[in-house]
Amino acid sequence: MSNQNSNKGNNNNNNFFNDNPLLAFAIFSIVVIIIFKSFVAEGDRDFSNFMGNPKIKRTEHVKYSDIKRYIKENRVSSVKITSSTIEAIDKSGTVRYVAGNVPAFDDKLIPLLEDNNITYEGRIGEGIVSQLISMLLPIFIFFAIWLFIAKKMSKGMGGILGAGKSDKLINSERPNVKFDDVQGVKEAKDEVVEIVDFLKYPERYIELGAKIPKGLLLVGPPGTGKTLLAKAVAGEAEVPFFSVSGSGFIEMFVGVGASRVRDLFEQAKRNAPSIVFIDEIDAIGKSRASGGQMGGNDEREQTLNQLLAEMDGFGTDTPVIVLAATNRPETLDAALLRAGRFDRQVLVDKPDYAGRLAILKVHSKDVKLDESVDLEVVAKQTAGLAGADLANIINESALLAGRANKKSIEQSDLLEAIERAFVGLEKKNRKVSDVEKRIVAYHESGHALMAELTKGATRVTKVSIIPRGLGALGYTLHLPDDEDRFLKQKHELLAEIDVLLGGRAAEEVFLGEISTGAGNDLDRATAILKDMISVYGMSDVAGLMVLSRTQSSFLGGGMVSNDYSEKMAEEIDAHIKNTLNERYTFVKDTLKEYRGAIEKMAQVLLDVEVIEGNLVQKIIKEYEEENNMSSRMAHI
Ligand code: ADP
Ligand code: ZN
């Protein structure tokens, strides 16, 4: 998405002449010729003033060949040449002149004067050069006009002539966006601050031999401020910002994109330290494997290869940082994500309540709000919207107030603007209703509680009810405490099942009704149990026997045939069902026991949409202490 706040750079002043060097030269030559013509034509006709010589006694009109003869006979002391006369002054003080039919230049006259040590003047602008220019001038003008028209046309037609030149597609500016202008994306900001320092003091890092990432991928839904954040990095570091859009690279003509990439990096390196920003990088960097379309991919592939070559081409000692934005990182070619390229990903997600409030504040700085306006209410009502939507709401409310001829924006204007935003967004971005929010808040609290109370589960780092991507209305983020795990023990698998069941159990216990939101959880819980029985030998049903299932090609797509008896299949089914029921009862009992803690978590979620892991732990601990329970916290 492009930014309305962009500041036009100061370095574009000379663009006209830079773009049209021939036209500039033609204009320049015309001006020079006009000046010289008028200078020279202003011939000195008053012979008594000739060369300021007081000795002049008389004048005489002679033939051109006479002057040459006088020179050869050494009778001439000085000569003045204009476009229409040659005036020679005699040693006797007589001026002899030729007027009218004088050749505009005479390459024999000047050497003659020089050979005889005779001073002369007035030759400027009347030599061979000016003759040539006046001959070539019409050609020049014609050529310049043609070039000008061709340029105009090529722009309209997508660059046949201007193919290699990407002047208009590469945007260069010096943004004065600061980190304070980007709100609600704190984690992302934390990730990019070190880049600012590097761009400001590159020598420090280079001397130390520190390896600064060359490429950073900003990942997130449209309108969350990826472009804005990239600009803020440039703004904070006070370095130039070169930006292009991935889709702008892909042209009809093979080779155009690649040459634009070359151009972009050339400019960035020339102006280093600097930032290169590539919006919608997925347009270039789509996985080659997933391409699929017949032909027509040459252009994209060439562009991508050029980009890879450019990124490999400058060392970590060149202070150019490439930032790219996408909302579909999974479609990117693996080559782009390799070390030394875009090896770091930064999530720029939709803002939570606090983030939205901060964004609203930033954008309402430049508009006039009535005292009655309560931005907190606006922030509450805009769950699921991105920064760009919020900026739009503020602007829309200003338009509404203006139309009603109000002096300032009132709360009602903002509410109306919110409504409009949601109506417009209905198709791509659903608004979460209050009922849904409540369900999600309890559901996620159930997961979170079970994760904290179950030994073998991973602790909670963050619970959120901000809708994300397709389908998911909320999520509980677990991060393992230690590094990568390749083995799981039986109790850990069971713990995972308990945590998964926590969501649905919470809905049943606290809301009295079950929603479709737990479908995915149950799917996963069932799959874990099945694997425990048939793959890992962790049950009495099958013992150590591994029970494989084969996809039969005869039975058609979805059908699966078991390699084990019907009886075994029944036993497995029964075992899974019983185990799930057993665990489910246990989980429900746990939730009931911690009713107050769940209520508290759900309330916080409804208020601010996000709870950090340590607040979850604090709520549970306090609840246990208030009720004199012996702690069941599993991770302390
Ligand atoms: P993206 O590049 O992620 O699609 P942009 O950076 O182009 O989004 O955002 C468009 C505009 O929306 C910005 O110029 C800014 O006015 C507003 N905006 C978006 N996100 C934020 C944010 N986190 N903080 C402040 N303003 C934002
Ligand atoms: Zn769930």
Side-chain angles (χ1 to χ4, degrees):
M1 252 191 203
S2 69
N3 180 357
Q4 303 100 319
N5 298 341
S6 73
N7 323 292
K8 277 276 151 254
N10 311 327
N11 38 359
N12 296 341
N13 295 346
N14 301 321
N15 265 359
F16 180 73
F17 287 127
N18 285 344
D19 290 352
N20 306 289
L22 277 170
L23 189 66
F25 182 53
I27 292 172
F28 177 70
S29 357
I30 294 171
V31 170
V32 166
I33 288 163
I34 289 172
I35 290 172
F36 276 151
K37 281 249 180 210
S38 64
F39 189 80
V40 173
E42 204 185 287
D44 189 344
R45 258 152 240 288
D46 181 359
F47 293 133
S48 62
N49 278 339
F50 183 56
M51 288 179 174
N53 193 333
K55 289 188 297 181
I56 289 174
K57 291 172 188 133
R58 63 191 189 99
T59 59
E60 189 185 337
H61 192 195
V62 295
K63 283 192 289 192
Y64 177 54
S65 51
D66 287 335
I67 296 214
K68 281 197 177 171
R69 187 161 53 83
Y70 295 157
I71 293 170
K72 280 183 187 148
E73 290 168 8
N74 202 14
R75 288 161 61 184
V76 174
S77 63
S78 60
V79 170
K80 182 174 179 178
I81 310 161
T82 75
S83 56
S84 53
T85 59
I86 300 174
E87 295 143 359
I89 185 164
D90 234 344
K91 288 190 170 148
S92 67
T94 309
V95 175
R96 314 199 183 250
Y97 70 97
V98 201
N101 198 14
V102 178
F105 68 97
D106 183 349
D107 286 318
K108 287 185 199 112
L109 179 62
I110 298 297
L112 198 61
L113 290 169
E114 278 166 356
D115 286 347
N116 290 285
N117 270 332
I118 298 166
T119 56
Y120 62 95
E121 67 169 289
R123 177 87 178 184
I124 305 164
E126 287 297 34
I128 207 157
V129 177
S130 91
Q131 276 267 317
L132 273 176
I133 287 177
S134 52
M135 264 163 59
L136 293 177
L137 194 61
I139 300 172
F140 253 125
I141 292 173
F142 174 78
F143 189 65
I145 290 173
W146 176 77
L147 200 81
F148 190 72
I149 292 172
K151 271 221 151 192
K152 274 244 141 82
M153 272 176 51
S154 79
K155 261 170 211 156
M157 289 167 53
I160 299 177
L161 281 155
K165 276 274 173 189
S166 40
D167 28 30
K168 291 296 171 288
L169 278 144
I170 298 174
N171 224 326
S172 97
E173 54 181 292
R174 278 181 173 273
N176 56 10
V177 180
K178 290 280 161 22
F179 277 146
D180 276 346
D181 300 322
V182 194
Q183 291 293 338
V185 288
K186 191 177 166 305
E187 287 93 347
K189 273 203 264 184
D190 290 346
E191 289 266 354
V192 295
V193 279
E194 68 170 40
I195 297 180
V196 174
D197 204 54
F198 170 65
L199 290 172
K200 264 187 161 161
Y201 314 105
E203 328 76 41
R204 280 190 205 165
Y205 291 82
I206 292 164
E207 253 167 51
L208 282 171
K211 285 207 169 56
I212 286 289
K214 281 188 209 169
L216 225 102
L217 197 60
L218 305 174
V219 177
T224 45
K226 298 182 289 298
T227 311
L228 195 65
L229 186 64
K231 277 190 185 167
V233 173
E236 290 280 347
E238 295 172 357
V239 300
F241 180 83
F242 298 95
S243 65
V244 290
S245 169
S247 55
F249 272 134
I250 308 301
E251 299 259 351
M252 266 187 300
F253 306 99
V254 174
V256 174
S259 92
R260 281 194 183 138
V261 170
R262 216 174 300 127
D263 237 48
L264 172 69
F265 278 84
E266 214 169 86
Q267 284 192 35
K269 278 186 275 189
R270 214 180 316 124
N271 292 287
S274 61
I275 294 259
V276 169
F277 178 68
I278 305 172
D279 205 358
E280 301 175 54
I281 192 168
D282 35 297
I284 318 170
K286 223 179 286 169
S287 163
R288 281 174 276 203
S290 80
Q293 306 108 312
M294 284 166 295
N297 273 345
D298 272 10
E299 168 62 356
R300 210 188 55 214
E301 195 143 319
Q302 276 196 18
T303 310
L304 175 59
N305 284 336
Q306 187 65 38
L307 178 62
L308 296 177
E310 292 290 348
M311 289 203 68
D312 295 342
F314 64 89
T316 37
D317 53 349
T318 309
V320 172
I321 302 251
V322 190
L323 299 177
T326 179
N327 53 353
R328 291 180 301 170
E330 69 284 351
T331 64
L332 291 182
D333 200 293
L336 266 176
L337 307 177
R338 234 164 259 151
R341 296 166 184 169
F342 294 100
D343 49 2
R344 274 213 211 173
Q345 301 199 9
V346 176
L347 181 66
V348 184
D349 216 346
K350 287 187 177 170
D352 59 3
Y353 165 76
R356 290 197 302 275
L357 185 59
I359 293 173
L360 287 167
K361 281 183 181 156
V362 167
H363 286 280
S364 54
K365 260 192 295 199
D366 301 326
V367 297
K368 222 170 155 208
L369 293 185
D370 193 74
E371 277 152 35
S372 69
V373 165
D374 187 351
L375 288 179
E376 289 177 15
V377 173
V378 178
K380 276 234 160 74
Q381 297 209 355
T382 44
L385 293 192
D389 304 323
L390 297 173
N392 250 332
I393 285 176
I394 297 279
N395 188 49
E396 181 82 9
S397 69
L399 293 175
L400 286 168
R403 215 169 299 154
N405 207 7
K406 292 180 189 170
K407 291 263 176 294
S408 56
I409 300 166
E410 291 167 9
Q411 186 77 354
S412 60
D413 300 318
L414 280 162
L415 297 184
E416 166 89 25
I418 293 172
E419 220 159 86
R420 288 184 179 207
F422 278 117
V423 171
L425 289 169
E426 209 127 76
K427 279 157 258 142
K428 39 180 179 104
N429 227 328
R430 49 198 242 92
K431 182 185 183 182
V432 188
S433 73
D434 288 347
V435 178
E436 276 177 332
K437 257 172 122 174
R438 220 171 110 77
I439 295 173
V440 179
Y442 278 100
H443 180 108
E444 297 302 331
S445 302
H447 283 315
L449 181 85
M450 291 315 296
E452 287 300 322
L453 296 189
T454 311
K455 286 221 159 48
T458 47
R459 30 183 347 173
V460 177
T461 46
K462 187 174 170 185
V463 187
S464 155
I465 61 166
I466 303 167
R468 264 240 242 202
L470 295 169
L473 291 175
Y475 56 91
T476 302
L477 204 62
H478 311 267
L479 287 186
D481 316 71
D482 35 38
E483 60 285 2
D484 281 350
R485 300 275 312 264
F486 299 103
L487 294 176
K488 273 191 178 160
Q489 289 180 303
K490 186 176 171 184
H491 81 276
E492 290 172 317
L493 290 173
L494 290 172
E496 219 170 297
I497 294 170
D498 284 1
V499 174
L500 283 166
L501 293 176
R504 178 189 152 111
E507 289 183 42
E508 188 182 329
V509 171
F510 294 89
L511 304 169
E513 200 183 334
I514 297 146
S515 75
T516 55
N520 188 33
D521 296 340
L522 299 182
D523 216 35
R524 278 167 58 199
T526 309
I528 292 172
L529 270 173
K530 237 175 223 167
D531 281 351
M532 287 176 74
I533 298 167
S534 56
V535 182
Y536 304 122
M538 287 181 180
S539 75
D540 299 332
V541 189
L544 299 180
M545 184 164 70
V546 170
L547 310 170
S548 59
R549 287 142 43 96
T550 41
Q551 196 108 27
S552 164
S553 52
F554 295 109
L555 295 174
M559 300 285 257
V560 168
S561 75
N562 294 331
D563 284 351
Y564 43 87
S565 67
E566 279 296 309
K567 184 165 164 287
M568 179 62 90
E570 273 167 33
E571 275 177 39
I572 291 172
D573 289 347
H575 179 82
I576 292 175
K577 192 176 159 194
N578 292 339
T579 312
L580 284 175
N581 272 338
E582 213 174 274
R583 299 316 307 165
Y584 189 59
T585 312
F586 168 78
V587 170
K588 275 200 293 188
D589 289 344
T590 307
L591 295 186
K592 282 177 195 157
E593 202 182 326
Y594 283 82
R595 184 176 284 273
I598 294 273
E599 295 280 8
K600 181 102 184 264
M601 273 190 252
Q603 198 49 55
V604 177
L605 279 175
L606 285 172
D607 280 346
V608 296
E609 293 160 19
V610 177
I611 312 186
E612 298 296 325
N614 45 20
L615 183 56
V616 171
Q617 285 129 32
K618 193 167 154 250
I619 290 174
I620 298 174
K621 209 163 164 206
E622 277 174 9
Y623 180 78
E624 286 177 335
E625 279 163 12
E626 279 164 25
N627 293 282
N628 294 319
M629 298 157 67
S630 59
S631 178
R632 280 174 60 182
M633 303 273 289
H635 310 292
I636 296 178

